[in-house]
Structures are given as C-alpha cells and as structure tokens.
Amino acid sequence: MPREPKSKDKKIWQDYFKKFQQRFIHNERAFMLYRTTSFEQKSIKKVNNEYKYLLENELIILSKAEEKYFRLFKEPYKTSQQIKNEKFQYWIPYLTRVDFVNMGAYMGNDVSLILMDNRYLVIEGRLDKDYKVIKAISKQKLIKSLINLEIGYWSEVYHSSEAIVEDGSSWILKFKCIKNKKYKEFVFYGDNCYPYNFDDFAQIAYIKDFVY
C-alpha cells in the first residue's frame, strides 16, 4: 500500500492517488487469477470473501485520504474507478433492459429483465425450453438494489490471461438505459470468472444455474 503523503504539495498527493489506483488494478488481477483457478464452492467463497475484505479496507483508507485532500486543496479528487461508478449510478434509474447470457460447456441459458410499465418482467430462457416469465420486480426495488451493489466498480472483462481452463463457462451481461433520446449501454464479460459479489446480483435478477 502506498504511504499517505505528509506533504502539502498537490502533485505529490495526485501521484499518491495514482499509485493507489495501480494497487487496485494489481489486486483485482490477482483476484481474477485465483478466482479463475478455483473450482470448488468452498475455494470460490474464500477467494471472494478475502478480496471483498481487502477492497472494503482499501476504500476506507482511500476515503480518509480524499477527505484530507479536500481539506488541503478545497477541491475533490476522484479516481477513475469512482468516476466510472458515478456514471453507472447516474444512468441506472433510466434502465430499460438487462440481458444475461451464460454459455457453459454443457449448457446455456439466459435471463432478461424488461421494463413494462413500472415493473421489470424477469424472462428466463434455456436451450431446450421456451422462454417464460418467472418473476416481476418493481422498478423502485430493482434500481435501489442495483445501486447498492455499486456495479460501476466492476471491470468490463473478468478473466485471467495467466490461467487456461479448457472446460468452463463464459458469460455476458448488458445494461441498457434510455434517458430522453440518449442511449447508454454497460457491458460486462467473463470467462470462468465473475465479480466477487456477482452472487448478490444473481439473487436480485433471479439468475440461477450459472457456474459460480
């Protein structure tokens, strides 16, 4: 972890935040490697929990540093991750559709959440069955749940270039938002690896049978 500066020089503080950002990237790459090569539920849960604990503690340190930066220079400093998350949080109330497709070695299924009036219909599809509506979620409940997950902190791609898995699964997740005449899409992809809190998202979106 980079040491917090004692200096009152703005550039030194900005360099500190850049090093902090590099640390986030390093830790996430390590998480992806361990997650990709973990196949048992017990191992997966351990990797997820350890990364979640590390991330939460680093965010606390970062938050305290940002407060000091603001007191010193009377302006906020935000990492690229924070800016990305704020953009996602801004757009998510205008969500019109969510599409998740899971492609395993011996199976395939997808789930879509489509906005109808003031609720989202959860539509499930499988290779060997017709599409069917399995649930209806109120718009207010879904939006609140998604905001709490802070999905904007996710990477766009989840896989490890250092690990090769011949038999596994890949997935793609799309959020489609429309505000007035503006359209925004957020896309996430993974190969034998999911974000550490994807199981929370799966519960919210009623996704099941994914290889986690």
Side-chain angles (χ1 to χ4, degrees):
M1 242 356 203
R3 288 189 176 184
E4 185 181 292
K6 301 297 182 182
S7 171
K8 293 184 179 180
D9 185 294
K10 184 184 285 190
K11 187 177 185 307
I12 290 175
W13 271 89
Q14 290 174 348
D15 287 341
Y16 163 75
F17 284 121
K18 287 177 183 176
K19 289 178 182 176
F20 213 111
Q21 180 77 6
Q22 291 169 357
R23 188 68 182 177
F24 274 126
I25 294 170
H26 170 80
N27 289 342
E28 187 170 52
R29 285 176 179 167
F31 161 73
M32 289 183 188
L33 174 61
Y34 292 128
R35 172 59 188 85
T36 304
T37 53
S38 299
F39 297 101
E40 297 179 356
Q41 288 293 327
K42 188 176 180 180
S43 298
I44 292 170
K45 188 174 181 179
K46 181 181 178 182
V47 171
N48 288 351
N49 287 341
E50 287 178 351
Y51 180 67
K52 183 179 181 180
Y53 177 78
L54 176 64
L55 185 61
E56 287 175 347
N57 279 277
E58 289 186 340
L59 289 174
I60 290 171
I61 296 170
L62 178 61
S63 178
K64 290 179 178 178
E66 287 169 340
E67 289 175 9
K68 289 185 180 179
Y69 182 90
F70 186 81
R71 288 200 302 269
L72 284 170
F73 309 112
K74 309 305 177 188
E75 63 182 35
Y77 186 91
K78 296 178 181 178
T79 65
S80 58
Q81 286 177 314
Q82 289 170 310
I83 294 170
K84 186 162 68 77
N85 186 55
E86 286 180 2
K87 180 183 281 189
F88 183 86
Q89 303 289 53
Y90 169 81
W91 275 100
I92 212 63
Y94 308 104
L95 184 68
T96 59
R97 183 178 179 120
V98 181
D99 290 300
F100 172 77
V101 179
N102 184 42
M103 298 156 284
Y106 303 104
M107 66 171 202
N109 67 288
D110 57 89
V111 173
S112 296
L113 281 67
I114 302 171
L115 181 63
M116 300 290 289
D117 298 322
N118 207 32
R119 61 179 184 166
Y120 288 88
L121 298 183
V122 184
I123 301 174
E124 181 185 66
R126 295 175 179 273
L127 287 177
D128 57 344
K129 295 181 181 179
D130 294 331
Y131 286 90
K132 65 177 181 178
V133 176
I134 61 172
K135 196 75 178 180
I137 313 171
S138 74
K139 181 177 180 179
Q140 183 180 9
K141 180 180 178 181
L142 179 66
I143 298 304
K144 182 179 179 180
S145 298
L146 292 176
I147 287 175
N148 288 340
L149 282 181
E150 295 192 309
I151 292 171
Y153 279 110
W154 289 3
S155 291
E156 282 75 20
V157 177
Y158 278 87
H159 77 90
S160 174
S161 57
E162 300 176 49
I164 299 175
V165 181
E166 294 183 0
D167 251 351
S169 65
S170 59
W171 56 272
I172 187 167
L173 174 64
K174 295 182 181 180
F175 295 87
K176 301 176 182 179
C177 309
I178 297 176
K179 181 185 179 184
N180 299 325
K181 293 183 179 180
K182 293 182 178 180
Y183 175 81
K184 183 67 178 177
E185 185 173 272
F186 297 90
V187 182
F188 302 93
Y189 167 81
D191 187 10
N192 298 301
C193 185
Y194 293 85
Y196 71 95
N197 61 345
F198 190 87
D199 54 340
D200 294 326
F201 169 75
Q203 288 184 356
I204 291 168
Y206 293 89
I207 297 170
K208 53 188 177 182
D209 298 332
F210 65 98
V211 182
Y212 192 65

